[in-house]
């Protein structure tokens, strides 16, 4: 199958990881993949697939949204004419281009699938934060023009359906992890940071990630000298937080780690992985930590609570993150048998429900369904 994938290659975020992992897996299964993205002169991301690439011009891009240049629509349309794909898959980048894609593909008579990543706060529209609610309301009318929209959980499906997206257009395919690559294994990270017990946060240092609640709880918990909290990632709040929560409290700021092998080594060395977010979709970082056998604590936002339900981890309420962590951190520090058991349960949950192999099989089946419904009939010479 020939697939035109429209997504992100930088700056690093969950959407970038999603595009890399899915397109790598599709190539491994023998599909042809062309990657269209907003590009500039920059280093090649770690473990990036080798395929035909098309650079779309842009004015601005960030981890959150992208502003395309005026000629981006023309470049995209001409590129799709040249590629002649069987299907177009857009990993939506919160860009104005997302809204014109259905029109472009309709004009070219190309089947169009989207993955909608926008995070949300909890179970139901009433629990969505204002910014996310606007994003969902803005996108819903346009998502109904895609042949299929992929979301990560049943909760998200119900939310979009309430906003008018036809139920038959919504497909639930959870994120998946390569459980061979992300697996328990030897790690020297604890020795490197002189940690008897290692707690890890990995993600953006931004308001929606609620890292300050974790840091305040850590500082107030009176953790032992042998316990270390490793903060992996960067973002707008790092400078303001790092000055108040430093090495004197056992907090180590590692910054953004680009190398995938290094991130895996960190996750393998972690006793506990913590994700205190206020909004999420379905966190790939959480799934990766679970696959590596770490005990996981996360808030009940997006689909993260669903991932950890029934004993696969500890689920927090967003209303009292700091007070809950203040109790849980010493508990996890003092009872390694508990975190070992939770880590085993986390790994098993990923093997049951969230493998990349299962994800790709579901995606291939979805492509076939869409192609049967809307076969490509374009005369490319026209």
């Amino acid at each position: 199958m020939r697939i035109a994938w429209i997504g992100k290659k930088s700056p690093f975020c969950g959407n970038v990881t999603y595009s890399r992992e899915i397109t790598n897996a599709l190539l491994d299964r023998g599909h042809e993949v062309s990657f269209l993205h907003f590009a500039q002169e920059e280093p090649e991301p770690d473990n990036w697939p080798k395929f035909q690439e098309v650079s779309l011009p842009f004015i601005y891009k960030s981890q959150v949204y992208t502003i395309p240049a005026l000629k981006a629509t023309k470049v995209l349309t001409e590129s799709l004419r040249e590629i002649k794909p069987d299907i177009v898959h857009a990993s939506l980048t919160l860009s104005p281009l997302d809204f014109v894609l259905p029109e472009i593909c309709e004009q070219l008579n190309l089947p169009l699938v989207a993955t909608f990543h926008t995070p949300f706060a909890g179970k139901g529209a009433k629990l969505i934060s204002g910014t996310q609610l606007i994003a969902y309301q803005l996108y819903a009318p346009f998502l109904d023009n895609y042949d299929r929209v992929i979301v990560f959980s049943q909760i998200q499906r119900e939310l979009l359906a309430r906003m008018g997206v036809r139920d038959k257009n919504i497909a639930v395919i959870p994120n998946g992890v390569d459980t061979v690559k992300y697996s328990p294994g030897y790690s020297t990270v604890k020795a490197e940071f002189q940690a008897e017990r290692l707690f890890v946060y990995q993600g953006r240092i931004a308001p929606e990630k609620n890292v300050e609640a974790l840091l305040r709880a850590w500082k107030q918990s009176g953790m032992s000298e042998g316990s270390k909290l490793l903060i992996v990632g960067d973002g707008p709040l790092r400078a303001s937080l790092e000055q108040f929560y430093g090495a004197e409290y056992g907090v180590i700021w590692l910054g953004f780690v680009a190398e995938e092998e290094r991130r895996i080594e960190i996750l393998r060395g972690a006793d506990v992985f913590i994700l205190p977010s206020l909004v999420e979709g379905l966190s790939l970082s959480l799934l990766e930590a679970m696959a590596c056998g770490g005990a996981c604590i996360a808030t009940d936002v997006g689909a993260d609570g669903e991932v950890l339900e029934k004993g696969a981890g500890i689920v927090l309420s967003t209303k009292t993150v700091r007070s809950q962590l203040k109790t849980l951190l010493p508990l996890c520090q003092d009872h390694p048998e508990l975190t070992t058991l939770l880590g085993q349960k986390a790994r098993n949950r990923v093997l049951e429900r969230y493998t990349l192999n299962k994800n790709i099989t579901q995606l291939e089946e979805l492509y076939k369904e869409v192609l049967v419904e809307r076969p490509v009939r374009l005369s490319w010479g026209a």
Side-chain angles (χ1 to χ4, degrees):
M1 193 180 301
R2 186 177 296 154
I3 302 156
W5 185 280
I6 304 170
K8 289 184 78 168
K9 192 173 177 179
S10 67
F12 183 82
C13 61
N15 195 323
V16 171
T17 304
Y18 177 83
S19 289
R20 183 196 67 204
E21 293 298 304
I22 299 294
T23 52
N24 252 329
L26 288 170
L27 288 168
D28 287 344
R29 294 208 182 180
H31 301 287
E32 293 180 44
V33 180
S34 298
F35 195 92
L36 299 90
H37 61 101
F38 298 99
Q40 60 190 17
E41 291 298 322
E42 53 199 5
E44 189 74 7
D46 186 44
N47 193 31
W48 201 258
K50 301 298 180 186
F51 40 39
Q52 177 188 1
E53 292 191 34
V54 175
S55 298
L56 302 174
F58 68 95
I59 297 170
Y60 174 81
K61 66 175 179 175
S62 70
Q63 290 175 313
V64 180
Y65 64 93
T66 305
I67 301 175
L70 290 175
K71 63 179 181 178
T73 300
K74 183 179 179 181
V75 173
L76 174 61
T77 304
E78 291 176 351
S79 298
L80 290 176
R81 283 189 182 277
E82 183 179 332
I83 292 166
K84 302 179 177 64
D86 297 310
I87 197 162
V88 179
H89 188 150
S91 181
L92 298 180
T93 58
L94 295 186
S95 154
L97 206 59
D98 299 342
F99 304 115
V100 298
L101 262 174
E103 185 179 336
I104 293 170
C105 289
E106 184 68 29
Q107 177 189 346
L108 298 175
N109 197 25
L110 288 173
L112 176 61
V113 172
T115 300
F116 188 56
H117 296 265
T118 302
F120 58 105
K123 297 178 179 176
K126 291 181 181 178
L127 297 179
I128 290 188
S129 72
T131 304
Q132 275 72 37
L133 180 58
I134 291 170
Y136 272 76
Q137 290 173 332
L138 182 64
Y139 266 82
F142 294 92
L143 292 177
D144 206 44
N145 295 325
Y146 286 74
D147 290 287
R148 288 290 190 284
V149 178
I150 296 170
V151 295
F152 301 136
S153 70
Q154 190 62 35
I155 300 168
Q156 198 178 7
R157 177 180 191 158
E158 292 168 0
L159 180 57
L160 286 175
R162 287 201 299 274
M163 292 185 171
V165 183
R166 287 171 291 175
D167 193 61
K168 74 178 187 66
N169 277 25
I170 309 171
V172 179
I173 303 180
N175 274 334
V177 177
D178 183 339
T179 52
V180 175
K181 185 166 55 176
Y182 287 89
S183 59
Y186 178 72
S187 173
T188 60
V189 168
K190 288 175 79 170
E192 178 183 341
F193 295 111
Q194 300 180 320
E196 295 171 17
R197 302 286 285 164
L198 185 63
F199 297 73
V200 172
Y201 165 82
Q202 179 177 287
R204 293 184 69 229
I205 316 299
E208 71 273 11
K209 295 298 185 178
N210 202 25
V211 182
E212 187 172 8
L214 165 60
L215 292 166
R216 290 178 64 195
W218 180 272
K219 189 174 180 179
Q220 294 169 4
S221 293
M223 302 294 282
S224 71
E225 193 175 321
S227 290
K228 301 293 170 65
L229 173 60
L230 196 59
I231 305 293
V232 183
D234 213 336
L237 295 185
R238 178 180 173 181
S240 61
L241 292 174
E242 189 172 357
Q243 61 181 317
F244 296 109
Y245 304 94
E248 67 274 23
Y249 297 107
V251 180
I252 302 165
W253 295 82
L254 208 57
F256 171 64
V257 176
E259 301 79 17
E260 187 178 27
E261 288 185 7
R262 176 61 166 164
R263 294 198 300 272
I264 292 172
E265 182 186 26
I266 290 168
L267 292 176
R268 284 176 171 172
D271 295 296
V272 182
F273 179 87
I274 306 165
L275 194 63
S277 304
L278 297 174
V279 293
E280 284 286 350
L282 171 50
S283 169
L284 269 170
S285 290
L286 175 62
L287 293 178
E288 289 166 355
M290 293 171 70
C292 288
C296 292
I297 302 173
T299 42
D300 190 12
V301 295
D304 290 357
E306 181 181 312
V307 170
L308 296 178
E309 68 182 2
K310 298 179 181 177
I314 299 173
V315 181
L316 307 176
S317 165
T318 54
K319 295 178 181 178
T320 52
V321 172
R322 182 184 58 81
S323 62
Q324 292 170 89
L325 284 175
K326 196 175 170 184
T327 300
L328 288 168
L329 290 170
L331 185 68
C332 291
Q333 170 189 262
D334 299 336
H335 296 278
E337 70 284 356
L338 171 63
T339 55
T340 298
L341 179 61
L342 286 173
Q344 291 169 351
K345 287 179 175 290
R347 169 77 179 172
N348 289 337
R349 175 60 54 80
V350 170
L351 292 174
E352 289 167 8
R353 301 184 188 177
Y354 302 104
T355 66
L356 182 60
N357 186 57
K358 188 179 294 184
N359 176 293
I360 298 301
T361 297
Q362 289 179 279
L363 188 57
E364 287 176 322
E365 290 171 355
L366 180 69
Y367 287 165
K368 290 172 185 174
E369 285 177 14
V370 171
L371 285 171
V372 167
E373 293 173 9
R374 184 177 176 174
V376 178
R377 297 186 299 273
L378 179 67
S379 174
W380 291 108

